[in-house]
């Protein structure tokens, strides 16, 4: 069977992670969460006390760190210089810092190479913000997943509940700020590719969204 490269872009809380993972499972493909890579850089920025506005320090950091995914029983884990950082990158503070460092060209250039390298073998579902527009403009099938802001805030809140003390209101505010940062930055802003299939997941179950995506993918297989 043909090996495809599938991209899923969209704002925070649209359901990208759950859907991408389920879709990759159904196809027997690798699932790559590119937001984790930006979070990985943010984590190292914080750990080393680097000012994210200091471009020289950011550049040095990008030359120094080795970020990579490894497949474990519980799914894909992110490692930085051999240390599993999959859990500590999921805090609200790292979310906001990831959004800030992702606007820097030094960071985007570094991660562009990392992502394209992983994508070479195809047979993968890549989740992110600029997968269909910048990283893989030649992807076989591109999706743009969205949902109402109320639904997205509620999903993010439920996801974070055990890991953060933020109220629903605070989660909604953080999300709005991050959406604005991510979609108004000059470099690779969050937006659907011209040839992306748009899906609004408000009120749809994960299974429904995955089935819908598979119906488009089957035409390409
Ligand atoms: O998908 P996420 O919420 O884990 O992503 C964290 C941040 O990383 C997000 O606010 C913007 C940035 N990001 C990006 O700029 N490009 C990507 N392909 C993925 C994430």
């Amino acid at each position: 069977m043909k090996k495809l490269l599938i991209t899923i872009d969209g704002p925070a809380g649209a359901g990208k992670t759950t859907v991408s993972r389920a879709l990759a499972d159904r196809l027997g493909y690798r699932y790559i969460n590119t937001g984790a890579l930006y979070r990985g850089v943010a984590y190292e920025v914080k750990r080393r006390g680097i000012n994210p506005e200091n471009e020289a320090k950011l550049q040095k950091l990008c030359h120094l760190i080795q970020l990579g995914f490894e497949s474990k029983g519980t799914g894909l884990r992110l490692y930085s210089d051999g240390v599993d950082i999959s859990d500590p990158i999921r805090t609200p503070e790292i979310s906001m810092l990831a959004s800030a460092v992702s606007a820097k060209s030094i960071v985007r250039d570094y991660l562009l190479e990392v992502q394209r390298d992983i994508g070479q073998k195809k047979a993968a579902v890549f989740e992110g913000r600029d997968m269909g527009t910048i990283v893989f403009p030649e992807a076989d099938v591109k999706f743009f997943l969205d949902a109402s802001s109320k639904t997205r805030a509620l999903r993010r809140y439920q996801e974070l509940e055990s890991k953060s003390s933020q109220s629903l209101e605070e989660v909604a505010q953080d999300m709005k700020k991050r959406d604005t940062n991510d979609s108004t930055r000059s470099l690779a802003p969050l937006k659907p590719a011209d040839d992306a299939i748009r899906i609004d997941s408000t009120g749809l179950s994960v299974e429904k969204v995955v089935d819908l995506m598979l119906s488009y993918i089957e035409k390409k297989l």
Side-chain angles (χ1 to χ4, degrees):
M1 202 163 19
K2 232 165 115 183
K3 286 180 181 168
L4 304 179
L5 197 142
I6 297 162
T7 60
I8 304 185
D9 289 307
K16 297 189 303 290
T17 301
T18 317
V19 163
S20 304
R21 198 179 277 140
L23 183 66
D25 270 358
R26 292 272 291 269
L27 292 163
Y29 281 9
R30 290 171 301 151
Y31 156 62
I32 312 295
N33 178 332
T34 63
L37 295 171
Y38 287 91
R39 287 171 182 269
V41 173
Y43 174 83
E44 289 296 345
V45 162
K46 178 170 178 258
R47 192 172 75 85
R48 294 164 196 248
I50 293 171
N51 175 353
E53 295 308 316
N54 186 331
E55 309 240 331
K57 289 242 166 95
L58 270 185
Q59 183 154 33
K60 217 167 156 191
L61 177 74
C62 289
H63 276 118
L64 207 75
I65 53 173
Q66 283 270 320
L67 288 175
F69 290 106
E70 255 182 55
S71 192
K72 286 277 150 85
T74 46
L76 216 58
R77 311 286 298 175
L78 181 71
Y79 286 78
S80 176
D81 298 325
V83 178
D84 185 342
I85 57 165
S86 316
D87 296 326
I89 59 168
R90 294 284 152 203
T91 65
E93 187 190 0
I94 296 292
S95 298
M96 212 50 96
L97 194 53
S99 183
V101 299
S102 73
K104 305 290 180 202
S105 61
I106 288 156
V107 175
R108 298 209 78 85
D109 289 348
Y110 160 61
L111 290 181
L112 185 69
E113 269 184 49
V114 174
Q115 293 165 97
R116 286 194 176 150
D117 199 40
I118 302 172
Q120 262 179 13
K121 285 188 278 173
K122 288 203 164 201
V125 177
F126 275 83
E127 173 208 334
R129 302 288 191 291
D130 61 339
M131 297 296 98
T133 49
I134 306 287
V135 182
F136 300 113
E138 309 300 327
D140 298 291
V141 191
K142 302 177 185 178
F143 294 104
F144 191 86
L145 192 61
D146 207 347
S148 72
S149 44
K150 213 169 150 186
T151 303
R152 295 195 290 113
L154 193 61
R155 283 181 188 156
R156 207 11 81 98
Y157 174 68
Q158 285 165 345
E159 200 181 290
L160 279 173
E161 221 165 11
S162 58
K163 297 177 211 143
S164 146
S165 55
Q166 281 190 321
S167 66
L168 176 59
E169 187 57 32
E170 286 166 332
V171 171
Q173 270 171 14
D174 268 14
M175 221 181 63
K176 198 165 168 214
K177 185 153 179 253
R178 214 145 64 87
D179 282 352
T180 308
N181 287 350
D182 296 346
S183 51
T184 58
R185 67 181 179 220
S186 56
L187 291 169
L190 164 69
K191 63 168 185 190
D194 290 340
D195 51 350
I197 300 152
R198 295 177 186 227
I199 297 176
D200 186 331
S201 72
T202 314
L204 292 184
S205 67
V206 174
E207 292 73 27
K208 262 259 152 52
V209 176
V210 172
D211 283 344
L212 190 59
M213 288 180 167
L214 281 169
S215 69
Y216 287 103
I217 293 166
E218 270 154 18
K219 292 178 201 152
K220 297 267 180 174
L221 283 169

